[in-house]
Amino acid sequence: MEYLLTVIVLFPAIASIFIFMMGNNVAKPFGIIIALIELCLVALLWTLFDGSNPGFQFVQNVHIITHLGINYSIGVDGISLFLIALNAVIILLATFYLNQPHEKNHYIVALLWLESILMGLFSSLNMLLFYAFWELSLLPILYIVGVWGTGDRIYAALKFFLYTFAASLIMLVAILYTAYLYKLQFGVWSFNVIDWYHLSLPFSVQIWLFLAFFISIAVKIPIIPFHTWLPYIYTDAPTLGSVILSATLLKMGTYALVRFSLPFFPDASYYFSFPIAILALIMIVYGGFIAFRQKDMKMTIAYSSISHMGIVILGIFAFNVEGIGGSIFLMVAHGIVSGALFFLVGMLWHRRHTRMVDEYSGIASVMPHFSSFFALIMLANVGLPLTVGFVGEFLSLLGYFKTSPVITAIAGTTLIISAIYMLYLYKSVFYGKLKDGACAALKDLNAREYWVLVPIAVLVIFLGVYPNAILKPIETSTHSLITLMKERSVLESTRMHIDKVSLETFNLKPSANNKEVANAVDNKSIAKNNIGASNE
């Protein structure tokens, strides 16, 4: 199984090449088979993954330009594994749902290439490789929106591309400068993530590098006020474009915060934690109120996504296992729930070609099964206990409570705000007097739509009832990440804060002979030695 992760990264893109030679009728079944095989490969990866090991597993390293430290280097840990699984699930459901009558083969190829790119991004252990995947991810979604979108789709696609691409160039400068600093300290070039964990960075340098990373990440998430591209792309994107954007692409930014910003720049992360928490609060409260004011169902869900991503950011900057682990769980949960909501709205749009709330009323009487699925996903989005939406939000807020009970209390209003706008949306669309004409003629779910919604409903309930299925491996890797942050901190204030909010979580004392911390550090060292050996 040495090459399993490489197969997962490359298989969808290579297999999709054959779809260009197929007709529309054959392209979709072949695409489903490819996506299903990819999901099986990810399931095998999950089965073989050692959840008790906090280090990177399935590490593979191939030289590209050795003297510049540019390698194809990939691996997974508990932080990235479940985002890879989320990506596989969402793309499979997207291929099932696809009902585009024209150029279906091109659509399938775009989805599968995006799947490969995101698999590579979530498993990259070389910063230049990560950056390449980061930028390449723009192209399939740009193509999907530009070709199959609605309204002013070209303007929306270009605005999204230009905003995210321009901001990402700042991160590229930071990556190159960090590699230069590594060259000064160790005498060789390296862009390897694990090598950079051993790089000593003064606080003043951390500040600027953190800001460079954060600006690029903030546009991608998006964090208010860097969100101005969002209304255009979500309004004009086709259903699957909105699903992919919300379920997977938004997670790229929050993943980068956890994977790179926290361990590379721990002191700067703590220094900026309060202003970032304020931005997260604005996302939570302002995003929720804006969602309530929307007349377009798709825009309600889009601003709801911003609100929930604010909870993710708050959890990340809690600097403890509950907060960071909860935020990673919430990334997965939000991907499932928001993707499902966009699927559901798309199903309505394909029946009536309108997403306006005022155009619907009382449709529960003619679409009872659709209404039931919508109710379940809506309650998960609100954060109802025993659904997947509750666990991540609760843990993220619990983690940040140790830093600031006041900010946590304000952020907790998201449970009330989201309940208000989601229940209002549900009441307006599904209850009341059934409108004559188009609404009365609506048909309930067809077989293709059941294939999409039933697996989502199972995941929503299963992960809500038994979250430990993914929480345990996440907790192990998160524990190691927090230990690494403390080791790399150059300021005593940062270490004291991490001790205050995290060590008590593990029931640990800040002693040098603690076995649990030592094991986490040893696993990181083992992973580094493995990569170092392959470099030689």
Side-chain angles (χ1 to χ4, degrees):
M1 297 301 173
E2 180 182 359
Y3 301 103
L4 177 59
L5 189 55
T6 294
V7 172
I8 289 173
V9 172
L10 299 180
F11 172 70
I14 295 175
S16 67
I17 295 174
F18 298 99
I19 297 179
F20 279 116
M21 299 176 285
M22 299 177 179
N24 277 336
N25 295 332
V26 182
K28 180 177 177 178
F30 191 70
I32 291 174
I33 292 172
I34 294 172
L36 185 59
I37 293 173
E38 179 75 352
L39 181 59
C40 292
L41 291 172
V42 172
L44 178 61
L45 181 76
W46 189 343
T47 302
L48 298 176
F49 183 83
D50 182 3
S52 63
N53 179 4
F56 292 105
Q57 302 175 44
F58 303 96
V59 174
Q60 188 172 3
N61 193 57
V62 177
H63 301 290
I64 299 177
I65 306 177
T66 305
H67 66 281
L68 292 180
I70 301 175
N71 302 315
Y72 167 80
S73 182
I74 57 174
V76 293
D77 63 355
I79 295 172
S80 57
L81 174 64
F82 302 106
L83 292 174
I84 288 174
L86 172 67
N87 183 35
V89 169
I90 293 298
I91 295 298
L92 176 60
L93 295 178
T95 56
F96 268 119
Y97 179 79
L98 181 64
N99 61 347
Q100 182 67 33
H102 306 295
E103 296 183 323
K104 195 176 294 183
N105 53 347
H106 293 182
Y107 212 136
I108 291 289
V109 169
L111 289 174
L112 293 176
W113 270 87
L114 183 59
E115 182 174 28
S116 269
I117 290 168
L118 291 177
M119 292 299 186
L121 182 140
F122 290 132
S123 59
S124 293
L125 296 181
N126 183 285
M127 288 305 300
L128 282 184
L129 183 66
F130 171 84
Y131 181 78
F133 286 125
W134 179 276
E135 295 290 35
L136 285 173
S137 66
L138 298 176
L139 299 181
I141 199 67
L142 183 71
Y143 181 66
I144 289 172
V145 176
V147 175
W148 293 283
T150 59
D152 199 357
R153 61 184 186 273
I154 302 300
Y155 173 79
L158 288 177
K159 184 167 186 175
F160 166 72
F161 177 81
L162 292 175
Y163 267 58
T164 52
F165 180 77
S168 299
L169 292 176
I170 303 174
M171 183 170 67
L172 176 61
V173 173
I175 290 172
L176 295 175
Y177 185 68
T178 306
Y180 172 73
L181 293 177
Y182 188 90
K183 171 74 162 53
L184 292 180
Q185 290 189 26
F186 295 95
V188 294
W189 287 94
S190 178
F191 291 91
N192 189 278
V193 171
I194 301 176
D195 286 346
W196 283 15
Y197 286 161
H198 298 264
L199 183 62
S200 177
L201 295 175
F203 175 64
S204 58
V205 175
Q206 286 189 41
I207 291 290
W208 292 106
L209 292 176
F210 177 88
L211 287 175
F213 271 79
F214 184 75
I215 290 172
S216 178
I217 291 168
V219 173
K220 184 74 75 172
I221 289 175
I223 295 176
I224 294 173
F226 302 97
H227 72 295
T228 55
W229 57 266
L230 181 138
Y232 299 94
I233 195 75
Y234 273 105
T235 300
D236 297 326
T239 297
L240 293 184
S242 299
V243 169
I244 299 299
L245 277 166
S246 181
T248 56
L249 289 186
L250 292 191
K251 310 308 177 289
M252 291 166 55
T254 47
Y255 170 77
L257 279 176
V258 176
R259 173 64 74 218
F260 307 124
S261 296
L262 296 191
F264 290 167
F265 322 115
D267 299 296
S269 297
Y270 173 58
Y271 180 79
F272 286 111
S273 61
F274 180 74
I276 290 175
I278 298 303
L279 289 177
L281 278 184
I282 294 172
M283 293 173 67
I284 294 166
V285 179
Y286 175 76
F289 280 115
I290 295 299
F292 178 73
R293 295 292 299 170
Q294 299 305 307
K295 301 300 183 182
D296 184 330
M297 285 184 277
K298 186 182 278 192
M299 291 307 300
T300 299
I301 300 167
Y303 280 104
S304 174
S305 292
I306 289 182
S307 182
H308 288 292
M309 294 307 285
I311 297 291
V312 173
I313 293 169
L314 210 59
I316 290 172
F317 286 89
F319 303 124
N320 54 40
V321 72
E322 294 105 333
I324 299 176
S327 69
I328 297 167
F329 187 96
L330 186 53
M331 290 182 213
V332 177
H334 179 265
I336 295 169
V337 172
S338 65
L341 286 171
F342 279 116
F343 273 127
L344 289 163
V345 172
M347 291 171 190
L348 278 182
W349 185 87
H350 282 291
R351 283 165 168 79
R352 285 209 54 197
H353 295 284
T354 178
R355 300 185 302 264
M356 297 297 112
V357 175
D358 295 339
E359 295 293 327
Y360 296 92
S361 179
I363 66 172
S365 60
V366 293
M367 302 180 70
H369 293 174
F370 177 85
S371 303
S372 300
F373 279 109
F374 202 108
L376 174 63
I377 304 303
M378 172 202 67
L379 293 173
N381 192 58
V382 169
L384 183 74
L386 300 182
T387 66
V388 70
F390 171 75
V391 180
E393 289 193 4
F394 176 78
L395 289 176
S396 297
L397 294 174
L398 177 64
Y400 203 82
F401 184 83
K402 296 179 181 180
T403 298
S404 174
V406 174
I407 290 178
T408 305
I410 299 173
T413 60
T414 183
L415 301 174
I416 301 172
I417 297 172
S418 60
I420 291 172
Y421 62 73
M422 289 305 298
L423 289 172
Y424 175 78
L425 171 66
Y426 192 78
K427 179 187 77 69
S428 301
V429 173
F430 293 94
Y431 293 111
K433 183 179 179 181
L434 178 65
K435 290 185 177 181
D436 296 333
C439 281
L442 290 173
K443 302 295 183 183
D444 211 347
L445 297 172
N446 57 41
R448 173 177 57 86
E449 292 164 343
Y450 277 115
W451 275 104
V452 173
L453 294 178
V454 169
I456 291 176
V458 171
L459 287 173
V460 165
I461 296 173
F462 174 75
L463 292 179
V465 174
Y466 185 62
N468 276 349
I470 66 176
L471 272 179
K472 286 296 184 181
I474 290 174
E475 179 182 338
T476 303
S477 293
T478 302
H479 185 171
S480 178
L481 171 68
I482 295 168
T483 302
L484 182 64
M485 287 180 64
K486 184 182 175 184
E487 286 185 333
R488 299 197 68 252
S489 300
V490 297
L491 299 181
E492 183 64 25
S493 58
T494 305
R495 291 191 290 271
M496 290 177 62
H497 179 74
I498 293 175
D499 282 343
K500 175 185 175 183
V501 300
S502 67
L503 288 180
E504 62 187 36
T505 301
F506 311 133
N507 295 318
L508 301 176
K509 295 180 181 179
S511 58
N513 60 355
N514 186 280
K515 293 183 179 179
E516 196 168 358
V517 172
N519 288 337
V521 176
D522 286 345
N523 279 313
K524 288 291 184 183
S525 301
I526 290 169
K528 179 186 183 299
N529 291 336
N530 288 338
I531 290 181
S534 61
N535 281 335
E536 293 173 3

